Amino acid sequence: MNHTSFKIAAAALAVASALSSTAYAGGFQLTEQSALALGRAYAGVGVDGTDVSGMYYNAATMTLHPGTQVQFGGVGVGMNLEYVDHKNPGEKNNGRDKEEFVPHGFISHQINDSTWVGLAITVPYGLATDYGEDWNRKDHGYKAEMTVINFNPNVAWKATDTLSIGAGLALQYVDAKFGVGYQTMTSTYEATDFTWGFNVGLMWQPVDSLRLGLSYRSETKHSTNGDVTINGSTGGALDGTYDASVTVSGPAWAMATAAWDVNDYLSLYATFRWADWSSFDSLQTKAPLLENKVEQLGNLNPTLPIIFNKMSNIENGWKDTYLMSVGYDLRVNSFWTLRGGIAYETSPISDEHKRTAIIPDADRWWFAIGSSFHWTKDFQTDIGFAHLHGVHERSLYSQNPVTGQWTEDGRYRHLDAYLLGVQMQYRF
């Protein structure tokens, strides 16, 4: 028996706890909480002041939005994860699942001249990959479905004419399912969990045309309880469903943003984000009944408990990631705003040998364009499109259990995502 299943389940659940991502982004963390900001690769997000989604990225920026404002929309995500096998020439597979929609909703209300409150409902993390149960590399993982829903009440205070401060409480719900296999055997892990975290931010506006922001979202810790279901093991000896649990902390992240209104027609933006993916260092998967059964079978196969222990106590070795983006808004006239942006984001994978098929991450470029249409002074719609293109190392590897030597199984010819966002905003 090969217990890669426990490694994949634990790794995927950690991602569910921290991220996440239907979309293809660093560590599968979803940045897509605004269709408008998507159009400039999230440069200057929040301090741009163009939509109330800024409360997710920096709660202090609610003070840029007078009165009561609502926003609803989402980003559609399609992926191309084309994998070419080296050991079986000519064999290809694509891990893309069906297209997904990442919704978001915000409401912001000004209580008085110095205080704002708001609510953000977002999907900050998620995952959707599917290679099929018959894939000959299913020991790297063949299927993943995961959603994280974030309920985030916020408050902002305008301390002075130039300084605003904001904070919020993040309540997260996770629903995850992951599959992995070895020869005829498949293993499926399912889990749900609730947890909480917090966010803080500040915005400084030294002059009317310049705004600078700093924000932080805390680490989130999930103590999940779920099930591992084994099918197709040799002689059915391990077939069945077992209680399992994983405790893992998701990464904190911090963001610095800037917005410069050059004139009445042009604004320039920039973002730098750090994410603490080095916290995704090691994991332990606990399934007591299954562990006992493996120990009993170890009397017939002495290597089985060793393999199980190795695969259920995992060293991930991820590293921190960075997103750097620049963009612009061009206000063509009172009705139409045109925008664009470019970004570069680093991969959390520091050891390529530990890459899995359900999280086939890589460094990536963002190329984005978008527009806003101001139908009235209080109502507008926004669209954005971005192409994320994976670059540099992006292969899958296997290790010889006797010699310890690594060999390259195959390579992802494409690691790309295509994002299309639409939203509406209304000011009361």
Side-chain angles (χ1 to χ4, degrees), residues 33 51-56 58-59 61-63 65-73 104-111 115-122 150-156 167 423-428:
Q33 315 308 326
D51 70 350
V52 292
S53 70
M55 77 174 72
Y56 172 80
N58 184 341
T61 64
M62 280 194 293
T63 62
H65 303 282
T68 301
Q69 302 192 23
V70 295
Q71 175 183 323
F72 299 99
H104 60 252
F106 304 90
I107 182 168
S108 172
H109 175 67
Q110 182 180 5
I111 296 177
T115 308
W116 278 253
V117 293
L119 175 65
I121 302 175
T122 62
N150 190 66
F151 301 91
N152 188 195
N154 291 277
V155 61
Q423 68 183 34
M424 61 77 65
Q425 300 184 58
Y426 189 79
R427 304 166 184 85
F428 291 91

Side-chain angles (χ1 to χ4, degrees), residues 6 37 47 61 79 126 146 155 191 202 223 260 294 311 319 329 340 357 360 367 377:
F6 300 100
V47 293
T61 64
M79 294 190 294
M146 185 250 305
V155 61
L202 61 86
S223 298
W260 176 32
V294 169
M311 292 301 177
K319 61 183 178 181
D329 275 7
F367 305 98
K377 67 181 182 64

Side-chain angles (χ1 to χ4, degrees), residues 7-23 25-30 124-128 144-148 172-176 178 220 222 224 246-251 277 280 283 316 318 348-349 356 358-361:
K7 178 177 180 180
I8 299 299
L13 186 55
V15 175
S17 305
L19 50 118
S20 116
S21 338
T22 300
F28 285 87
Q29 178 181 1
L30 281 176
Y125 310 107
L127 185 65
E145 297 175 357
M146 185 250 305
T147 300
V148 177
Q172 290 185 1
Y173 170 74
V174 179
D175 187 351
F178 300 92
T220 53
H222 287 263
T224 62
V246 175
T247 300
V248 63
S249 294
W277 281 111
F280 187 34
L283 294 169
N316 301 298
W318 276 24
I349 297 175
T356 67
I358 58 174
I359 316 174
D361 217 339

Side-chain angles (χ1 to χ4, degrees), residues 3 58 76 125 132-133 136 144 214 228 309 315-316 325 393:
H3 283 274
N58 184 341
Y125 310 107
E133 292 186 11
N136 65 5
L214 287 174
V228 170
N309 182 68
E315 296 298 324
N316 301 298
S325 67
E393 208 287 328

Side-chain angles (χ1 to χ4, degrees), residues 265-336:
Y265 302 98
L266 178 66
S267 294
L268 301 177
Y269 307 101
T271 288
F272 177 83
R273 184 183 67 195
W274 159 83
D276 184 25
W277 281 111
S278 60
S279 63
F280 187 34
D281 184 57
S282 63
L283 294 169
Q284 290 187 340
T285 305
K286 298 295 184 181
L289 293 178
L290 182 56
E291 292 171 13
N292 290 338
K293 185 173 289 190
V294 169
E295 185 176 355
Q296 295 170 8
L297 292 174
N299 295 326
L300 301 176
N301 182 0
T303 64
L304 187 57
I306 298 174
I307 295 173
F308 176 81
N309 182 68
K310 181 179 179 180
M311 292 301 177
S312 60
N313 295 275
I314 309 150
E315 296 298 324
N316 301 298
W318 276 24
K319 61 183 178 181
D320 294 350
T321 64
Y322 303 91
L323 169 70
M324 297 145 283
S325 67
V326 292
Y328 70 90
D329 275 7
L330 180 62
R331 290 172 286 277
V332 180
N333 52 45
S334 61
F335 173 71
W336 182 35

Side-chain angles (χ1 to χ4, degrees), residues 5 67 120 122 190 232 235 252 263 288 326 342:
S5 54
T122 62
E190 298 184 65
N263 53 43
V326 292
I342 187 171

